[in-house]
Structure formats: C-alpha cells, structure tokens
Amino acid sequence: MILSKEEEAMLRGDEGEAAKLAMEILVKVGEKFGAKRLVPVASAHIVLAMYKSIFDAGVEVCEKFAAMGAKFCVPTTLDPSGMDTEMWREFKTPEAYAEKQLRVAKAYEQMGAIMSWTCLPHFSGSAPRFGEHVGWTESSAVAFINSVLGARSNRETAVIDVCIGITGRTPEYGLHLQENRYGKVLVKMEIGGRALETWEYPVLGYFLGKTLGSEIGVVDALAGSPKMDQLKSMLAAAAASGPLAMVHLVGITPEARTRTEAFGPNQSTRTVTVTEETLKTTRSEMCTVKSAKIDLVAVGCPHYSIAEIQNVVKLLAGRKVADKTEFWIYTTKQVRDLAERMGILAELSALGVKIATQTCMLISPVETWGFKTLMTDSGKCSYYAPVQCKTDVIFGSAAECVEAAVCGQVLPQQAPSGLAGVPKGGAA
Ligand code: F3S
C-alpha cells in the first residue's frame, strides 16, 4: 500500500504506541482487501461497545488501547451500550455484567469518544454529507448513510472501527470506490403503484436483505414520499437479514436520481419482483408464532424518534399496559429528554410504559427476565430476538404492538394479517 508521510510516521510509532498498533492493523486489513491506499475519514462509529457481544476480550481491547494512551483524532461515536447506563438495575442487569460495561465506558471516555450510545449517530449530530468517507460499524447505520445520504462507508468490524477512530483513516476498498457503488440487481415494485404502509418498510427491508445479500440492488421505485423513520427501519431490517451495506432507492439515493444513473456502467444481472404476496409471505417469516400471550412488547430498533414516541402516545389513547406485560421503548438520551420536556415521558410512565435509553432489547441482558414471547415493530429485532432474547417473536405494526401491550396477548383473530400458517419456531 502507498502511505502518506503522516501515515508512515504513525506506522513508525512517531504518534505513539496506540497509533502504531492501529496503523499496523489497518495496513494488514487494507492489504487483505487489495486496497492501494488509506483514505482520510470524517468520522468513526464504534460497535466494540456493548458487553453482551464483545465479551471479556472486547473489554480488554478497549482498556489496552486506553492504557496505551490512544486518543481519537476524528469525531468518534459509540453504538449502544449493553445496558441502560443510568437505570440498569431497574432492568435487572447483573452486577458483574454492569461492572464490565462500565469499564468499557471508562476506557472510551479516556480516549475522547463522543459518548452517544446510539445506532443513529447520523440522527444525533454526526451525519456525514454526500460523498464523504467515514469508517462506521453498525450495519443499520452504514446501510442508511450509503443509501440515503450518499456518504461512503464499508460495514466495518469491531476493533477495526477503533483503529479508524485513532488514525482517522480507513483502507480504500469496497464502497469507498465509485466503481463498487453501482447497482447490479433490479428490484421492481409491483404493488399497484401504492405507497407502502409504515409497517411494510421493515418487511420490504427484510426481504431485500435476504434476497440481495451483498449485491447492490436498485429499487425502482418506492411510491409516495417515504419518511426518514420509515427508511431507517427498512434499511436496519435489510442489513440484519443479509450482508447488505447499500441499496439504490431510485429518486431517494443521491447517486440514483434515475435507474440509469443507479446502474452506471453495469447491466442488471437479474430482476427481483416485489408483489403483495412477497410482503405477506415475508411478514409471516418474521414471526415464530402467530398468536400468544405477550410478556414483552419492545420497540425502538433502531432507536425511536420523538415522532415515533408521539405515535405510541396517540395509539395508547390513555389505556394502560396489561398486568404482567412489559412495554419498553428504546431511544437516545436526547430523545428521552425531549419527551420529558414535552410531558410525554410522565404520561407514558403513568400508563406503564418504560423508556430505556442508550441500549436496546438485543444487546442488553433481556434474557434474564425469562420472557417467552416478544412483540416488536422492528424487522431487525424480529430477525435477532429468538437468539438474542431467547423468546418467540411476533412482528407487527406499531398499532398492533400497542394493542398487544394493552391486551397482554395476540389472539388468533387479532393476529397481524399475513400470519396464517406460521409454524412455531420457524423464523430467524
Ligand atoms: Fe440499534 Fe440495537 Fe437495533 S443497536 S439497530 S436498536 S439492535
């Protein structure tokens, strides 16, 4: 790889032991992927942050870098923590687990991280602009910034993300190069020209992730004017059910003003058609049971916006959550504070809804509660919950989730449409 003078100095150790180690790792990764050089990044986002998935080895890596005097040289945000950093006892987080998570937080504080603890740094003050190179982990965020903002990031991995924050560089390969950003697969929407309902966005995303894998699709086209929250949930589901890092949404993606622009010099290699039946079948696949007593309703994957929380308040219409049912909303600390200022937090609390911040149902120790069936409006959560939360899962719209929370169950006649014939244990 060709390195700049500054990068060579880092590799020699002129900038300290931590920068030397980080640069050595990045050069090795770059060589493996055939990168010719490193590219400066505007920001880094780190997934090596939640104890539930990084385990003791991850804690040691963070502490090792901190002990070596590592400092982030570009704005570097953190993915959610493995627990609500303030109310972790209320959420039954084991003490030994919390101690490890707090050590991770301390190490990143020393390194100068932005303690954002969210999978939505792009909605929380760290949005990259069109064409800007960044080095981010968190699959949902990477899919969003490539596909909606036109920024450039590969789906980086844990540890590499820390090295990118320390050096301000990432190997130039994959989606950093224009030639790798063009579409390959045409996705035709054949649902009668109608706009998708909000709950259908994660269903479409789930289908796209599963069907496209790492090939870049060109969705021609989504009708109507999708909201940022709808695109957020669609791309999170797409990046969960497959290795998708970018999809062109004709008329939305800055590099896909037209279908021709999205494909660039490529010819479409195959065509995928999305019909009403596709959406119905995919929705069924997102559930492991079709009706059940619900002991946890968990929404906010990705973290809920204030508008999504307002929608829950409206749907509840003053009704209380059923006894023996938990209803949790995951969001950022900033959105929670906003909800408090607006009086919504007190209202939700009085109705039995808990708002957890800076973490989520999949990366906190939810399994310690022994829940049997979780209901969610998140495609990403529906994919991972059976393994991460050790529960059955029912996917439904926000309105269906609220009804389940109020009734404490989903009865066969109330089951979300499209669930007929779902075999128990059949998802994820
Ligand atoms: Fe975010 Fe947790 Fe979902 S990190 S995308 S809320 S799995």
Side-chain angles (χ1 to χ4, degrees):
M1 284 174 72
I2 299 164
L3 300 182
S4 68
K5 283 201 167 58
E6 207 183 342
E7 289 156 1
E8 277 175 356
M10 272 193 241
L11 196 56
R12 276 198 308 270
D14 296 5
E15 305 282 327
E17 206 188 345
K20 179 176 190 295
L21 176 60
M23 188 54 83
E24 283 170 354
I25 293 171
L26 290 180
V27 167
K28 282 214 162 46
V29 170
E31 285 170 352
K32 179 165 172 38
F33 284 101
K36 294 198 174 97
R37 57 176 196 147
L38 298 171
V39 63
V41 295
S43 63
H45 181 71
I46 290 180
V47 84
L48 190 81
M50 63 283 285
Y51 179 63
K52 187 171 177 178
S53 60
I54 66 173
F55 307 107
D56 288 358
V59 179
E60 283 170 27
V61 170
C62 302
E63 290 184 328
K64 175 167 181 176
F65 271 117
M68 290 165 88
K71 294 285 176 203
F72 294 122
C73 75
V74 289
T76 299
T77 45
L78 299 179
D79 221 36
S81 161
M83 62 187 191
D84 184 311
T85 55
E86 288 161 14
M87 301 198 303
W88 55 270
R89 284 196 176 86
E90 194 172 320
F91 284 93
K92 297 189 184 175
T93 309
E95 295 278 337
Y97 176 110
E99 185 261 329
K100 300 279 174 57
Q101 184 64 60
L102 293 170
R103 278 170 52 191
V104 171
K106 192 172 166 207
Y108 282 130
E109 261 177 46
Q110 282 177 26
M111 292 161 72
I114 298 168
M115 310 299 279
S116 50
W117 300 125
T118 180
C119 44
L120 302 173
H122 44 300
F123 286 3
S124 309
S126 190
R129 64 163 171 73
F130 173 64
E132 198 162 54
H133 295 275
V134 298
W136 287 20
T137 37
E138 176 48 56
S139 60
S140 63
V142 171
F144 190 95
I145 62 170
N146 278 311
S147 310
V148 179
L149 304 184
R152 299 185 173 207
S153 180
N154 289 318
R155 277 174 70 149
E156 302 291 359
T157 54
V159 182
I160 306 301
D161 48 10
V162 178
C163 298
I164 294 171
I166 293 170
T167 61
R169 310 281 198 285
T170 193
E172 190 185 44
Y173 70 98
L175 293 174
H176 290 287
L177 296 167
Q178 181 58 48
E179 62 264 33
N180 298 326
R181 294 177 67 85
Y182 294 114
K184 285 199 173 150
V185 179
L186 176 63
V187 180
K188 283 167 77 176
M189 297 298 295
E190 292 195 351
I191 54 170
R194 69 175 179 87
L196 294 171
E197 301 286 334
T198 294
W199 66 265
E200 291 176 308
Y201 283 91
V203 174
L204 174 62
Y206 197 102
F207 172 76
L208 292 176
K210 202 179 62 155
T211 310
L212 295 172
S214 55
E215 288 187 299
I216 297 184
V218 176
V219 180
D220 192 11
L222 296 175
S225 180
K227 296 186 175 72
M228 292 295 243
D229 283 336
Q230 294 169 330
L231 296 172
K232 169 185 87 177
S233 61
M234 179 180 90
L235 291 163
S241 63
L244 185 147
M246 178 175 188
V247 62
H248 287 291
L249 308 169
V250 174
I252 294 173
T253 304
E255 293 149 277
R257 286 170 297 181
T258 62
R259 188 201 289 195
T260 308
E261 188 175 48
F263 279 107
N266 292 347
Q267 295 295 321
S268 172
T269 53
R270 63 188 169 108
T271 299
V272 172
T273 306
V274 176
T275 63
E276 297 288 355
E277 189 56 32
T278 310
L279 297 173
K280 190 176 171 194
T281 309
T282 305
R283 180 172 175 156
S284 286
E285 287 172 16
M286 294 163 72
C287 307
T288 58
V289 285
K290 61 179 175 179
S291 62
K293 182 180 170 308
I294 303 293
D295 37 25
L296 173 62
V297 175
V299 298
C301 171
H303 281 163
Y304 251 19
S305 67
I306 193 68
E308 289 171 313
I309 294 177
Q310 280 182 306
N311 186 43
V312 169
V313 173
K314 191 171 146 204
L315 292 166
L316 278 168
R319 294 174 299 163
K320 285 198 169 180
V321 174
D323 284 347
K324 298 188 183 158
T325 301
E326 295 285 331
F327 188 179
W328 298 347
I329 299 176
Y330 291 95
T331 189
T332 62
K333 184 79 167 55
Q334 293 96 317
V335 167
R336 182 203 172 277
D337 291 349
L338 196 51
E340 187 167 29
R341 237 178 294 149
M342 293 160 66
I344 301 174
L345 193 65
E347 194 178 338
L348 287 170
S349 173
L351 298 176
V353 181
K354 293 190 181 84
I355 295 201
T357 63
Q358 312 182 73
T359 186
C360 76
M361 67 293 260
L362 297 178
I363 58 159
S364 58
V366 165
E367 63 278 8
T368 57
W369 289 69
F371 294 125
K372 293 208 162 28
T373 306
L374 176 159
M375 184 152 182
T376 185
D377 64 347
S378 159
K380 178 169 180 174
C381 177
S382 76
Y383 184 82
Y384 286 118
V387 171
Q388 293 293 101
C389 305
K390 308 213 177 341
T391 60
D392 271 314
V393 65
I394 296 182
F395 169 84
S397 66
E400 288 161 339
C401 287
V402 167
E403 289 313 304
V406 169
C407 301
Q409 59 189 333
V410 175
L411 299 171
Q413 66 271 24
Q414 298 168 329
S417 58
L419 291 187
V422 177
K424 186 174 167 67

